[in-house]
Amino acid sequence: MKVLMVLTSHDQLGTTGRKTGFWLEELAAPYYAFQAAGAEIVLASPKGGQPPLDPKSNEPSFQTELTRRFEADAAAMAKLAATVRLDSVSQADFDAVFYPGGHGPLWDLAEDRHSIALIESFIAAGKHAALVCHAPGVLRHVKGPDGRPLVEGKQVTGFANTEEDGVGLTDVVPFLVEDELKAKGGVYSKGADWGSYVVADGLLITGQNPASSAAAAELLLDHVARAR
């Protein structure tokens, strides 16, 4: 099994002057779930090379056993430092795709034509796509094989408005994930703020927040295994 993980290349938190990027737990927890399942993992980003880490995700209060393991893992860190360019990958080479979140994807991946086409090609090929936290926002322009918004009529979740309000970035982000999923016809639901909550609908798997990343990865592995 071969899994593609797509990370953001965007490091500016709007016009605040603060840094953003990908959320470490949302990379580390799925990474080790996939590794434990024997999957080959490829990391990609729009610009290639080292993607920006949201510095907040590496503060002591947000570190976990798996984030510490990842940062001490020389092979994982080397892979992260050398992500392949997103425009160089093809769904034909992979069994599934996983998008970690962080605020960065709302600026670049949500509008990236290569990302949009990549997700569309995975779905059209009958392959699973999983997205966590802010990453479900990258589905905003993605269409299904019928030409309608991919999330239309589908059960989905993603970073909740109440969670965005909780981190004080409601007026900073380009759009709110919950609102955007609803606007595109998604049947949005959520669990408790900051708790693990994952939804699957057909080939699409979405997780609400960082705490949902491991569960989303496990569900992706389960669905891929059952589809074989």
Side-chain angles (χ1 to χ4, degrees):
M1 180 179 173
K2 194 171 181 181
V3 179
L4 177 66
M5 299 186 77
V6 181
L7 297 158
T8 181
S9 292
H10 185 85
D11 69 350
Q12 296 296 315
L13 191 59
T15 57
T16 64
R18 286 144 56 194
K19 293 293 188 181
T20 190
F22 71 89
W23 198 262
L24 184 55
E25 183 181 4
E26 296 168 30
L27 168 63
Y31 181 92
Y32 287 115
F34 298 144
Q35 186 180 85
E40 180 183 348
I41 305 164
V42 173
L43 305 183
S45 64
K47 294 180 180 178
Q50 177 74 53
L53 171 68
D54 186 321
K56 194 153 191 71
S57 74
N58 208 19
E59 292 179 356
S61 60
F62 293 112
Q63 290 176 353
T64 67
E65 178 185 343
L66 292 176
T67 65
R68 289 187 285 270
R69 177 183 172 188
F70 192 94
E71 291 200 300
D73 185 336
M77 291 297 284
K79 189 173 288 192
L80 180 63
T83 66
V84 300
R85 281 179 58 105
L86 189 59
D87 61 7
S88 74
V89 299
S90 166
Q91 65 80 13
D93 298 326
F94 299 93
D95 297 292
V97 63
F98 189 100
Y99 278 68
H103 284 88
L106 299 186
W107 277 275
D108 64 350
L109 290 170
E111 308 299 328
D112 187 288
R113 63 186 179 88
H114 299 294
S115 175
I116 294 164
L118 184 71
I119 296 170
E120 290 177 346
S121 68
F122 267 90
I123 299 300
K127 297 177 181 179
H128 290 82
L131 310 94
V132 167
C133 197
H134 286 86
V138 311
L139 298 171
R140 68 187 314 209
H141 299 307
V142 177
K143 300 285 197 294
D146 60 358
R148 305 290 301 167
L150 178 63
V151 302
E152 186 175 273
K154 286 191 172 62
Q155 301 287 333
V156 291
T157 191
F159 205 59
N161 289 354
T162 49
E163 291 172 319
E164 200 68 81
D165 193 51
V167 298
L169 294 174
T170 298
D171 296 326
V172 173
V173 292
F175 62 91
L176 294 169
V177 175
E178 176 181 336
D179 285 356
E180 189 65 15
L181 291 171
K182 290 175 178 176
K184 291 297 189 289
V187 183
Y188 179 89
S189 62
K190 65 175 186 174
D193 285 1
W194 316 115
S196 178
Y197 185 77
V198 179
V199 174
D201 193 326
L203 298 171
L204 188 62
I205 296 167
T206 47
Q208 182 178 325
N209 49 34
S212 311
S213 53
E218 295 290 356
L219 194 59
L220 178 65
L221 287 167
D222 179 62
H223 280 229
V224 171
R226 285 196 278 124
R228 287 184 159 182

